[in-house]
Amino acid sequence: MSPSLSLSMVFAGAALVGASVQFFQLKKETKDENNDEIINSQEYKLFRDSIFNALKLSSINDITDIKNIYLGSGISKLNKKDYDITHLLRIFIVDLLSGRFKAEECEINNWKSKITAFIHRFEESLPYEDLPQTERSILTDIDSFLELDNKESVKRKISELARIIKTREEYLNKLERSNKNSNKVAVIGIVLTVVFGFLPFVLPFLQK
């Protein structure tokens, strides 16, 4: 094998490895971006550590205690869907089971069961908890107006909700198109890296 051919193969191999790394990194970043942001936030760390210490002290008795910790940690001010209480508690369960905290196995299992029960209670008592603040507020108002049999106010709130959903859908569609364009650029970059990496290897055969 000639030195030039060997060098071409080295370049081709390096290009393929580089492209593979870019591809899998792109996939991983897309998948983990939201959870990484939550886990690394100071507000979640404060929430997580406070919940853990409260469990150790047996000072969590109901969902009000958890909600007070949630509000005290400042997470509610972030006003993001990914930071709702039930989602954070599920992440906390993962932290418990991953060995982040030092505790006996029986304690971990008991705390996991306790937090899981609290998640169910939150979902029952706060059916709109996972929704964005605006939609949650409107649906809560609709529930109140239904109990009062105030049909006009219910219709007004439904129209308001429809406008918000339409606006949000337009925003999400725009964001999706933007993300698709970004991904296309990244994929094209990977393809070009592979093509130019193998070009020195292929050219000698094409010139024959």
Side-chain angles (χ1 to χ4, degrees), residues 69-84:
I69 294 174
Y70 175 80
L71 294 172
S73 64
I75 294 177
S76 59
K77 296 178 182 178
L78 298 177
N79 196 26
K80 293 183 179 179
K81 181 180 183 298
D82 289 335
Y83 287 82
D84 66 79

Side-chain angles (χ1 to χ4, degrees), residues 42-53:
Q42 293 301 316
E43 290 84 0
Y44 171 69
K45 290 176 182 177
L46 180 58
F47 174 81
R48 174 193 69 199
D49 294 341
S50 299
I51 292 289
F52 175 70
N53 289 327

Side-chain angles (χ1 to χ4, degrees), residues 137-150:
S137 176
I138 292 175
L139 288 172
T140 301
D141 289 343
I142 289 175
D143 280 344
S144 300
F145 290 135
L146 283 173
E147 290 179 4
L148 296 172
D149 197 26
N150 188 339

Side-chain angles (χ1 to χ4, degrees), residues 122-181:
F122 267 116
E123 290 175 338
E124 290 173 358
S125 63
L126 302 170
Y128 310 127
E129 181 67 23
D130 291 348
L131 296 177
Q133 175 64 36
T134 305
E135 287 88 332
R136 183 166 68 240
S137 176
I138 292 175
L139 288 172
T140 301
D141 289 343
I142 289 175
D143 280 344
S144 300
F145 290 135
L146 283 173
E147 290 179 4
L148 296 172
D149 197 26
N150 188 339
K151 296 180 181 179
E152 290 302 318
S153 294
V154 170
K155 290 178 181 179
R156 177 170 51 82
K157 284 294 178 178
I158 289 176
S159 297
E160 185 180 341
L161 181 61
R163 287 195 299 270
I164 290 173
I165 291 174
K166 184 178 179 180
T167 302
R168 192 163 303 229
E169 183 182 15
E170 291 173 352
Y171 170 76
L172 290 175
N173 288 337
K174 183 178 178 181
L175 185 63
E176 185 179 1
R177 288 194 297 270
S178 176
N179 288 338
K180 283 182 178 178
N181 290 335

Side-chain angles (χ1 to χ4, degrees), residues 8-9 11-13 15-16 192-201:
S8 297
M9 292 183 67
F11 281 130
L16 182 60
L192 290 177
T193 301
V194 173
V195 169
F196 284 110
F198 276 98
L199 198 57
F201 177 70

